[in-house]
Amino acid sequence: MHQISHILQVPVAFFFEGAPNLHGSTDRMKEAPSPSYVSDFLATPEGLLLTKAFMRINEPKLRRRIVDLVEEIAGEDD
């Protein structure tokens, strides 16, 4: 987790924003992509470009808003 946060230039806490408390869980946590999914994404030209551009954004709140926007655009995965 530390290496990923370093590569993406975000604090480790970024990955836990909105995480459920210790007494509950959410469907979102169950749908977390596998490490191979992430490496497959990063192997694409778009994934690499998107990651590099995202890394240049210094404001954590703006990064979170971008993630929220992309999730909204992508919609539900049903």
Side-chain angles (χ1 to χ4, degrees), residues 3-43:
Q3 288 178 325
I4 294 170
S5 69
H6 179 71
I7 291 168
L8 296 176
Q9 297 179 347
V10 296
V12 173
F14 173 82
F15 299 105
F16 298 98
E17 289 179 13
N21 62 28
L22 294 175
H23 302 292
S25 64
T26 66
D27 290 337
R28 186 179 208 178
M29 294 298 287
K30 294 176 189 172
E31 297 174 7
S34 67
S36 64
Y37 182 87
V38 174
S39 61
D40 290 347
F41 170 72
L42 292 174

Side-chain angles (χ1 to χ4, degrees), residues 39-76:
S39 61
D40 290 347
F41 170 72
L42 292 174
T44 66
E46 295 85 2
L48 189 56
L49 288 170
L50 185 60
T51 302
K52 286 181 178 181
F54 191 79
M55 289 172 43
R56 291 192 306 266
I57 302 169
N58 294 322
E59 178 60 42
K61 288 182 181 180
L62 179 56
R63 286 181 182 219
R64 182 70 246 172
R65 289 174 48 205
I66 291 169
V67 170
D68 292 342
L69 173 65
V70 172
E71 287 177 339
E72 182 71 26
I73 291 168
E76 293 294 320

